[in-house]
Structures are given as C-alpha cells and as structure tokens.
Amino acid sequence: MRRFEEILAIAIDRKGSREAVLGDAPVPRSADEIAAIPDDRWLAGMARGIFQAGISWTVVESKWPGIEEAFHGFDTGRCAMMSDDWFDALLGDRRVIRSGPKIAAIRDNAVFIRETAAASGSFGRRVGDWPAGDFIGLLDWLKREGARLGGNTGAYLLRGMGKDGFMLTRDVVARLVTEGVIDKTPGSRKAMVPVQEAFDRWAAESGESFTTISRVLARSIG
C-alpha cells in the first residue's frame, strides 16, 4: 500500500497539476454545522438519492421542484404519517417518480429521522457527532435503520450534507484494489474494515480529510 503522497503524485501526473486534483474538493462541514441542517433537508436528501437510483439524475433534477411540492417540503411529520390516500395519489402524480417502493421508502425514512431526532435532538446531531474513525459504522447504520440507503446512496447523502467520509465509486475501488486493500467492491461491514483502516492511515499520514483522500484516490485512476 503506497503512502498518500505517492498516490497524490500519481493523480497530479494524470491531471497535470495539484490544483486540477484538489481545487474543487468539497470542504467538510463541522459537527455543529451538520447538526444545524433541518430534518426536512435530510429527508429531501434521502429522497433525492432514492429517486436517482437506477434512473437518469437529470430527470430527477428537472422534476425536483415538483417533487418538493408533492411531498410538502418533506415535512417529516406529514411524511411519517402518510395516509393510504396520499400514497395512492403520489403513485398517480406526474410531478414525482411514480415508484411505490421508493415512495414507501421516503415515508419509512421520515419515521427513521423522527425517531433519531427524538433520541438525539436532531438527525443532523446524530450524524455530525458520529466519529470519523467509524465512518463504516455510520454507513452501516443508514443501511440497517433507513430504507433503501445502502450501496452508495447513503455515502452520497452524507457527502451532499458535508459529512467527512469516503465514497466507494468505481475509481476509488480500483485504486484500493491496486493498493491491495481489497480485492473487489466490499459487500459487508466486515469487508469494509480494511477500507476504514486504509483511510485512517492515509489521514494520519497526510492530515487530509477522508473527503479529500477519496477525491485523490479517484483521480489517480479516472
């Protein structure tokens, strides 16, 4: 397994400059900034990821204002108490992606968010306080307790909200395979342990965030 600076050098060689590799890297938010994100925005983020799975993201983006309106701004109380009539109406609403399982997942995630907020003060507070050294535990929690938040959906949600972490995109996985960290895309929390350990090591070496390290790994391949 190479040191982080060696992988960064590969990425710079591929992209032409350090700026080309790191210039647009997202800056993670602090725990308090994440805690301040309203619960309805967490549900909206989950809904966006759920709707985007398996279809064109451009389609979801173009329909998004109507989706927000149809779900009443993703008010978690209203969505958690979704009636059968409202559910059926959404199935016929051209403003949304008319998928029963995806609409049901949004309702179920509203319940998940409200239960977490009741225990932690807000959903964002729970996520913001989650330690970086157990990022794989946070991904696993979203997968187990949430609805349709496995795979990269949970990771994209966290990245969009500013939580420091890594994303196992095709290019990141390819670099991890090249470095001997894994031999294929990990499919369980146990298989994710070496990934966490590798990111912990690179972060300790470099002082960089997981977000930046993830970007460098991807750009050393793609």
Side-chain angles (χ1 to χ4, degrees):
M1 182 171 135
R2 291 177 178 87
R3 293 178 58 82
F4 174 75
E5 285 298 325
E6 295 177 278
I7 299 172
L8 175 58
I10 294 170
I12 291 172
D13 185 59
R14 287 183 56 81
K15 298 300 181 181
S17 69
R18 189 183 185 94
E19 176 66 20
V21 175
L22 298 175
D24 60 349
V27 177
R29 289 173 168 165
S30 69
D32 287 343
E33 288 173 329
I34 292 171
I37 298 172
D39 288 343
D40 65 275
R41 292 304 87 199
W42 285 99
L43 184 58
M46 292 177 185
R48 186 184 289 269
I50 289 167
F51 281 139
Q52 286 174 338
I55 67 171
S56 167
W57 290 22
T58 302
V59 170
V60 176
E61 185 64 31
S62 67
K63 296 175 74 71
W64 192 252
I67 292 172
E68 282 269 5
E69 184 178 41
F71 282 89
H72 301 287
F74 292 101
D75 178 275
T76 59
R78 294 187 71 163
C79 290
M81 298 296 291
M82 185 180 292
S83 67
D84 290 342
D85 286 345
W86 184 17
F87 184 91
D88 290 342
L90 287 171
L91 287 176
D93 193 329
R94 292 185 178 273
R95 293 174 296 177
V96 308
I97 309 298
R98 290 172 290 173
S99 164
K102 292 186 176 185
I103 293 170
I106 293 167
R107 177 198 61 206
D108 295 346
N109 282 327
V111 175
F112 170 43
I113 289 171
R114 289 179 65 80
E115 289 176 345
T116 301
S120 302
S122 72
F123 191 85
R125 181 81 271 169
R126 179 73 182 275
V127 173
D129 288 343
W130 204 290
D134 186 37
F135 186 69
I136 63 171
L138 176 54
L139 293 175
D140 186 60
W141 176 67
L142 290 173
K143 178 182 178 180
R144 287 185 294 103
E145 301 297 329
R148 300 176 78 96
L149 297 179
N152 271 333
T153 302
Y156 275 114
L157 168 70
L158 296 172
R159 176 64 58 83
M161 294 302 184
K163 178 68 174 176
D164 188 27
F166 46 81
M167 297 179 59
L168 295 184
T169 62
R170 180 183 61 185
D171 290 338
V172 172
V173 169
R175 173 51 61 188
L176 291 170
V177 170
T178 298
E179 298 305 314
V181 176
I182 52 177
D183 58 10
K184 61 181 179 180
T185 302
S188 67
R189 179 169 179 172
K190 181 179 179 180
M192 288 282 283
V193 170
V195 177
Q196 179 78 59
E197 291 173 345
F199 272 86
D200 289 343
R201 175 175 157 181
W202 286 321
E205 287 175 0
S206 65
E208 298 287 358
S209 67
F210 285 175
T211 301
T212 294
I213 294 168
S214 184
R215 176 64 58 91
V216 169
L217 265 58
R219 293 192 170 174
S220 71
I221 296 290

